[in-house]
Amino acid sequence: MNGYGQDGAGPTESGSPGYGSTDKLGEQLAERRVLFMGPPGSGKTSILSVVFEDTVAYDTLGMMPTQQQAAYQMVAGITIYDFPGIDYYSETQYNPPNPAIYEGDYTSLVFVIDSQGDFQNSLATLFSVIRTAQAVNPQLPINIFINKVDSLSEELKQDVHQDMQQQVWKTMRYENLNSAYVQFFLTTIFHDDIREALSRVVQRLVPNHSSLETILNSFCSKSSLDKVFLFDVTTKIYLAMDSSPTDPQIFRFAFETLKAMDDVSQLCIEYLPPSDDGMMSQKVTFDLEGSIRVFVYQVNSYLSLLCVGSTQVIRQKSLLEFNGSKVAKAIRQILPS
Amino acid sequence: MNGLSISTKKKLVIMGRSGAGKTSMRWLIFSNYTANDTRRLGATIDVEHSMVNFMGDLNLNIWDCGGQHKYLDNYLNEQRENIFGNVEVLIYVFDLETTNKESEYQLYDDCLRNLAVFSPTAKVYCLVHKMDKIPEPEQKELTVESYRRALAKRSEMFQPDVFGTSIWDHTLYRAWSRIVYKLVPNMEIIERHLSNFRRLSDATEVVLFERETFLVVCYTAADADVPLDKYMHISQGIKSYRNACVHVQSRFQSVEVSNKFYSMFIEPFTKSTYILVITTDPEVEPAVTKANITAARPHFSDLAR
């Protein structure tokens, strides 16, 4: 977990241009990794800078094409690698990465496609990547982000989604590729959906994820809460949540709550001692009309539990705080930092 | 001062060329619009009147004047008495991107001339709007300064306050907080009592917000040098959180933060205000602060009445 923190969240350049560098890449990469790939200009770097560097979505418009692979550190040793755009048809520029990067049980591929770009070209690139990847790792999760859907109407979004899904499955069947690990997401950097999509990708890589889920489940039921999330506070990506059915709005709400929490605590930043590790046992309660209460309990300097429940339940706040502290302790033990 | 019980109605006129952002600004401050939502707004036809209840006993009568040529001519001629009579505050919005600065100033002069005739005691505020178009902070400062000089020369009688604003950041909230600060009657009393409250409850900072707009009404801090700007992003943050609460079919009510180093409350206070209290003294338990807020509530409610 070296280098994680305010400044560690930024990208660190790794690998150098040229042919020799790719040979060693497979070993250099972190064990738990997400590979961001896709045609040039599909929005890979934009997505990552919005999520990891808090860039305003509008500011990503004039972004330069990524020339070198960049890495973004996350909690629990998960690293997200941003690869330069892959253009299948311009053979001159494209220097395919070493297939070894696809190996490992904790590797996940995100392929970003511009929903308003050249579909056929993007798909050709996608299949060339899948072919290489499945040859080394047949069980590699393949997450397809259909990006830039912000300007599409609700109806058109569904059409694009279906169209893409059918084309991908058809071709995969035809080429005898394994489509069991393929998932589709509609994304845009102008909406929090992108964080939800990333959360679902990252969740599978979280160490001891099933134990975390069990803990959150029991916390949720024992404390009669509606929903519990374990959030990475800097990126606002959730690493785990209890397994009760999720209202799609609730994630958006949870995310906004964390943002409001940041806004509010910004005010007191001067009251924190300068040499602080960020762990200050912070407890935040949001009260809403109609008896909804949100309770955020700090686990360590980068993780927080976010619980949503009704006022009647959380009225016994001290009891909940006690439970929260026990759960936090358990999580600290399970999740190495 | 026995004006405490009188409900006051104040006329506030927003003027400026078409497309300057007058209506966007009004929706952002007085309704729960986000900066993005204002794209939906169309041109204002003639004058849009709205009545806003601010701080309980202060009713703001807002005249949002459409900025198209034909309306402007109309305001300055046939309707001049109607528009410029009994004005308490004139807010003139300059569009930073204007192509014709001379005609902009011309219009401003015309407005002030009329104002001098019909409401010589009015207070004038000039907002240099769409500051987000200038990226560098120093350049922003210079631009506002150049407007400030030009306007000071043109309007000696009114001595306007000039603010650089943008709907995309907190600057708009700052300008409006300053505007309403001057409007609220018995502000000195409220301020004094708030400062007493802070001392009595051993708090470090106390801020009073208007309930609907979440504009800062007044604040008091142990460290006297705390700038008003510090609280601006709270207004914005809470308002955007209010929008988020719609996702769970509810409304924001209060928030409480406590950790090893400080505790903070944002709570509904009187009928028309919210209060923010920060305590950094570890001796003062959060529950005590909460009890103090509850105890002070009836006192401040009486004050506002």
Side-chain angles (χ1 to χ4, degrees):
Chain A
M1 263 318 298
N2 282 337
Y4 187 86
Q6 290 296 354
D7 46 8
T12 45
E13 295 288 339
S14 67
S16 56
Y19 295 91
S21 64
T22 43
D23 294 337
K24 283 180 277 164
L25 265 179
E27 303 138 41
Q28 282 170 7
L29 300 186
E31 189 201 355
R32 299 175 189 275
R33 57 181 179 262
V34 180
L35 313 168
F36 254 69
M37 295 188 175
S42 53
K44 301 173 289 301
T45 311
S46 298
I47 292 177
L48 293 173
S49 64
V50 165
V51 173
F52 285 88
E53 286 161 1
D54 252 336
T55 312
V56 179
Y58 286 97
D59 291 346
T60 63
L61 289 177
M63 214 158 231
M64 296 299 289
T66 308
Q67 302 289 351
Q68 277 184 22
Q69 170 196 328
Y72 297 81
Q73 302 286 334
M74 263 193 76
V75 75
I78 299 168
T79 310
I80 300 189
Y81 292 97
D82 183 17
F83 285 86
I86 306 171
D87 196 344
Y88 185 59
Y89 286 119
S90 69
E91 301 277 343
T92 46
Q93 282 285 309
Y94 175 45
N95 174 21
N98 187 333
I101 59 169
Y102 302 114
E103 279 171 7
D105 293 341
Y106 299 107
T107 307
S108 185
L109 173 72
V110 172
F111 195 89
V112 187
I113 291 178
D114 182 351
S115 65
Q116 294 161 63
D118 182 352
F119 258 33
Q120 294 316 320
N121 197 346
S122 306
L123 286 177
T125 315
L126 170 67
F127 292 126
S128 84
V129 170
I130 294 181
R131 257 177 253 129
T132 332
Q134 290 206 337
V136 251
N137 184 359
Q139 296 189 342
L140 178 77
I142 298 163
N143 306 284
I144 300 174
F145 281 20
I146 307 170
N147 199 22
K148 309 193 193 175
V149 293
D150 41 287
S151 58
L152 305 181
S153 68
E154 215 43 57
E155 209 174 318
L156 202 54
K157 260 191 232 175
Q158 293 316 319
D159 283 355
V160 167
H161 188 180
Q162 252 175 22
D163 186 34
M164 182 69 82
Q165 216 162 12
Q166 267 159 13
Q167 286 202 45
V168 170
W169 280 341
K170 207 170 95 190
T171 317
M172 290 188 93
R173 220 173 21 244
Y174 183 72
E175 296 201 18
N176 245 335
L177 295 163
N178 185 358
S179 62
Y181 299 97
V182 178
Q183 259 192 310
F184 295 86
F185 298 91
L186 290 167
T187 61
T188 158
I189 51 170
F190 294 95
H191 198 280
D192 316 322
D193 286 353
I194 186 62
R195 285 171 211 266
E196 194 177 4
L198 265 175
S199 301
R200 283 169 59 190
V201 172
V202 166
Q203 262 187 49
R204 294 192 236 175
L205 309 181
V206 174
N208 304 320
H209 182 257
S210 56
S211 321
L212 282 177
E213 206 174 81
T214 316
I215 292 178
L216 295 187
N217 274 338
S218 91
F219 180 37
C220 198
S221 63
K222 294 275 161 52
S223 311
S224 316
L225 295 164
D226 291 343
K227 197 76 202 161
V228 181
F229 294 95
L230 178 66
F231 265 101
D232 173 12
V233 278
T234 28
T235 57
K236 300 184 179 58
I237 288 176
Y238 62 84
L239 301 179
M241 61 173 170
D242 71 287
S243 49
S244 65
T246 317
D247 172 5
Q249 297 284 16
I250 200 98
F251 172 72
R252 175 113 208 251
F253 172 69
F255 167 72
E256 293 283 351
T257 305
L258 287 179
K259 222 163 59 175
M261 184 178 91
D262 278 357
D263 275 340
V264 180
S265 40
Q266 194 68 31
L267 206 58
C268 289
I269 215 142
E270 63 193 74
Y271 299 125
L272 303 180
S275 60
D276 188 50
D277 60 352
M279 178 54 194
M280 48 193 178
S281 326
Q282 179 157 284
K283 298 177 280 259
V284 182
T285 319
F286 283 87
D287 270 313
L288 270 62
E289 268 170 31
S291 74
I292 297 178
R293 232 174 196 192
V294 190
F295 183 75
V296 187
Y297 192 91
Q298 192 181 26
V299 175
N300 57 27
S301 50
Y302 38 82
L303 290 177
S304 277
L305 279 169
L306 187 143
C307 326
V308 184
S310 60
T311 314
Q312 286 86 353
V313 175
I314 310 189
R315 198 166 45 205
Q316 306 210 337
K317 216 170 118 187
S318 44
L319 202 58
L320 184 78
E321 269 173 26
F322 178 77
N323 286 351
S325 72
K326 293 292 165 213
V327 171
K329 194 174 160 201
I331 293 173
R332 277 196 295 271
Q333 280 169 358
I334 287 184
L335 217 55
S337 56
Chain B
M1 234 173 106
N2 56 359
L4 289 183
S5 56
I6 302 167
S7 162
T8 29
K9 206 179 198 177
K10 295 192 171 176
K11 178 170 162 189
L12 190 149
V13 177
I14 309 179
M15 237 348 140
R17 284 245 181 251
S18 158
K22 302 176 289 300
T23 309
S24 298
M25 176 163 91
R26 182 167 60 94
W27 280 94
L28 202 75
I29 296 288
F30 292 102
S31 314
N32 240 340
Y33 262 51
T34 64
N36 263 321
D37 291 339
T38 60
R39 284 162 206 239
R40 292 205 288 265
L41 297 169
T44 307
I45 308 298
D46 209 355
V47 182
E48 263 178 33
H49 300 268
S50 51
M51 184 72 96
V52 177
N53 188 293
F54 194 90
M55 288 288 290
D57 54 348
L58 172 65
N59 286 306
L60 290 182
N61 193 357
I62 301 178
W63 294 41
D64 181 7
C65 304
Q68 260 99 15
H69 269 293
K70 56 175 178 186
Y71 301 132
L72 288 174
D73 285 345
N74 197 7
Y75 304 150
L76 296 170
N77 299 304
E78 293 98 73
Q79 283 201 56
R80 47 199 285 224
E81 195 169 349
N82 180 21
I83 298 274
F84 292 101
N86 295 319
V87 176
E88 199 80 32
V89 174
L90 173 79
I91 296 174
Y92 195 96
V93 184
F94 287 94
D95 184 349
L96 191 66
E97 289 186 306
T98 183
T99 44
N100 189 347
K101 229 170 170 173
E102 247 344 280
S103 86
E104 182 90 65
Y105 281 138
Q106 192 70 48
L107 177 66
Y108 175 73
D109 288 345
D110 288 340
C111 288
L112 284 208
R113 207 171 307 124
N114 281 301
L115 196 66
V117 176
F118 298 104
S119 327
T121 55
K123 182 84 189 105
V124 178
Y125 294 92
C126 296
L127 306 186
V128 184
H129 206 42
K130 306 193 185 173
M131 286 303 276
D132 49 292
K133 304 281 179 192
I134 306 177
E136 304 85 20
E138 304 93 55
Q139 196 60 39
K140 279 186 189 182
E141 203 39 59
L142 287 175
T143 314
V144 175
E145 197 46 50
S146 85
Y147 266 97
R148 194 169 283 143
R149 268 199 308 273
L151 291 171
K153 251 184 279 160
R154 280 171 183 276
S155 37
E156 280 159 0
M157 179 174 169
F158 290 102
Q159 294 180 339
D161 284 343
V162 183
F163 299 103
T165 56
S166 159
I167 56 171
W168 298 97
D169 57 28
H170 65 262
T171 50
L172 190 64
Y173 287 94
R174 179 182 54 198
W176 276 90
S177 277
R178 299 281 286 277
I179 293 170
V180 299
Y181 178 82
K182 290 275 172 60
L183 278 174
V184 176
N186 59 36
M187 183 60 102
E188 309 88 66
I189 303 177
I190 296 177
E191 229 171 359
R192 204 168 58 235
H193 285 254
L194 199 69
S195 159
N196 279 342
F197 169 68
R198 179 180 57 75
R199 245 176 340 95
L200 292 173
S201 56
D202 265 327
T204 316
E205 294 174 42
V206 178
V207 187
L208 206 61
F209 294 96
E210 203 278 329
R211 205 176 185 128
E212 288 310 312
T213 58
F214 241 86
L215 289 170
V216 175
V217 177
C218 63
Y219 69 101
T220 155
D223 169 12
D225 296 331
V226 172
L228 171 65
D229 279 19
K230 188 180 169 189
Y231 307 109
M232 288 304 134
H233 70 271
I234 294 287
S235 310
Q236 215 178 359
I238 296 291
K239 279 186 100 169
S240 74
Y241 188 59
R242 272 188 187 165
N243 282 326
C245 288
V246 176
H247 296 301
V248 286
Q249 286 87 44
S250 187
R251 273 171 66 87
F252 166 76
Q253 200 157 27
S254 69
V255 54
E256 178 184 334
V257 180
S258 62
N259 58 36
K260 275 198 295 207
F261 307 109
Y262 62 84
S263 62
M264 170 182 357
F265 297 85
I266 298 181
E267 278 202 11
F269 197 45
T270 67
K271 206 168 79 234
S272 53
T273 56
Y274 258 76
I275 197 166
L276 177 150
V277 181
I278 300 172
T279 0
T280 48
D281 187 346
E283 302 267 290
V284 183
E285 288 288 328
V288 175
T289 309
K290 208 159 176 170
N292 279 332
I293 295 175
T294 314
R297 197 169 281 137
H299 177 71
F300 277 86
S301 300
D302 285 346
L303 211 61
R305 210 174 294 130

